[in-house]
Amino acid sequence: MRSARTTTGVLTILLAVLTLLGAGSTASAAQVPLLSGPNVVVLMVDDLPQEPARRLFSLTPNIRALFLDGGQRWTNMFANDPLCCPGRASFLTGLWSRHHGVRDNEDPTVFQPEVTVATALHERGYWTGIVGKYMNRLNVLPDKTPPGWDRVAITAGGYWTDWWIDDTLEVHRDKALPADYHTDVLRDQATRFLREAPQSAPVFLLLSTYAPHAGEDIFAGPIVAPRHLGDARCQSVGRYKSPAYAEADVSDKPDWVADLSIARLHPDGWPLMKACRALLSVDEMLGAVVGELQLQGRFEDTLFMLVADNGIGWGDHRLIHKAKPYATHIPLWMRWDARLADAPAKVTAHASMVDLAPT
């Protein structure tokens, strides 16, 4: 893990944040006890490209108020891998996939979670929790309680699915039960985590949603919480159609791009309605978390991050899915009222997933 040893040269603008957090030290994490520090809440959404993210988030009131109206937007943020599991492993470890070993979504047992941002912060006195999607094929992992976390409530993904909550299996697969919807289970577990947190300890909470990942069919889009079907707040979201959408002339692109057909794409742009409505439940979940932080007096000294595990094609350069370099441009917002209140709203410096763990 790169945590405290190699971050001083990451980025000029990131350095200010790293210095504030004490990450610029040359000593190891075990040698630098952190008696106090900011709370850290990371909201990681699933499969969301950078370009349409701002349009989607502008229609989600809690996300808009927290990040778009008061945070830093990083316009050149990139995933190191355009896949879920490698991206999540890079976030947790600060390592490239060639070092942490997770190169695809097929075998989560490759990931070694003994040294992560969670173990580093836990050693420094943080109350740590992970809630939501962890790794694909979670069922093959022999240990459902990775090191470094005080509370664990994890899934492999899916909108109605099995959860492992502090090493106990809970089944939330009943589509007739609105409370079984993934983001609502996540909300309940996240607020429970905060209520159980010792008041004397800073918290690190990873909120990992499945939204707006598509369901079984990418053309059908994500599965929306029943209460948000037909929600009028998303009526104006429109479609996503960048200059690269359904690219006609791909003579300057690799052969595999030329092999992709534009006939399967929506001619007037990628529909965003379901993605917007799926994010409304994420927005409500974030609102509940922010409300609990405010009740506890933690809000001002909380570093919030909003990021995606990876991007996705949505028609750019003819790409629909991910697993290609075009699916690495991802959103990143940061907010920390105690230290970044006067920070610029837009940051154009380049950053990537491996920068977040040391930050």
Side-chain angles (χ1 to χ4, degrees), residues 188-208:
D188 294 343
Q189 292 298 321
T191 52
R192 168 192 166 227
F193 163 82
L194 290 172
R195 288 193 296 268
E196 293 179 351
Q199 191 63 38
S200 60
V203 300
F204 172 61
L205 175 58
L206 173 57
L207 305 166
S208 185

Side-chain angles (χ1 to χ4, degrees), residues 13 32 88 115-116 118 140 200 231 247 249 266 273 287 297 303 316 321 326 354:
I13 297 178
V32 186
R88 291 165 188 274
V115 180
T116 65
V140 305
S200 60
D231 197 299
E247 192 173 12
D249 181 4
H266 306 278
M273 185 78 74
L303 170 61
D316 279 353
H321 294 279
Y326 298 125
V354 296

Side-chain angles (χ1 to χ4, degrees), residues 58-102:
S58 70
L59 299 174
T60 53
N62 292 302
I63 294 175
R64 183 181 66 239
L66 185 64
F67 292 109
L68 277 64
D69 296 344
Q72 290 183 339
R73 178 188 175 213
W74 291 65
T75 58
N76 286 303
M77 173 65 180
F78 291 87
N80 299 101
D81 298 271
L83 273 177
C84 296
C85 291
R88 291 165 188 274
S90 289
F91 167 77
L92 290 169
T93 63
L95 299 175
W96 296 77
S97 56
R98 65 178 178 268
H99 294 142
H100 60 60
V102 183

Side-chain angles (χ1 to χ4, degrees), residues 150-173:
D150 290 294
R151 291 291 183 270
V152 176
I154 53 177
T155 74
Y159 288 98
W160 280 271
T161 187
D162 297 340
W163 286 72
W164 287 91
I165 299 175
D166 294 330
D167 210 26
T168 298
L169 177 64
E170 289 192 9
V171 178
H172 293 275
R173 291 181 173 272

Side-chain angles (χ1 to χ4, degrees), residues 17 38-42 61-74 286 290 293-294 298-306 332-345:
V17 182
N39 307 292
V40 181
V41 174
V42 179
N62 292 302
I63 294 175
R64 183 181 66 239
L66 185 64
F67 292 109
L68 277 64
D69 296 344
Q72 290 183 339
R73 178 188 175 213
W74 291 65
L286 180 65
V290 168
L293 289 167
Q294 290 171 331
R298 296 183 185 268
F299 176 84
E300 184 178 355
D301 199 19
T302 296
L303 170 61
F304 294 94
M305 292 186 187
L306 168 57
L332 172 65
W333 270 270
M334 292 188 188
R335 175 163 175 167
W336 183 10
D337 283 11
R339 298 293 181 94
L340 297 179
D342 298 324

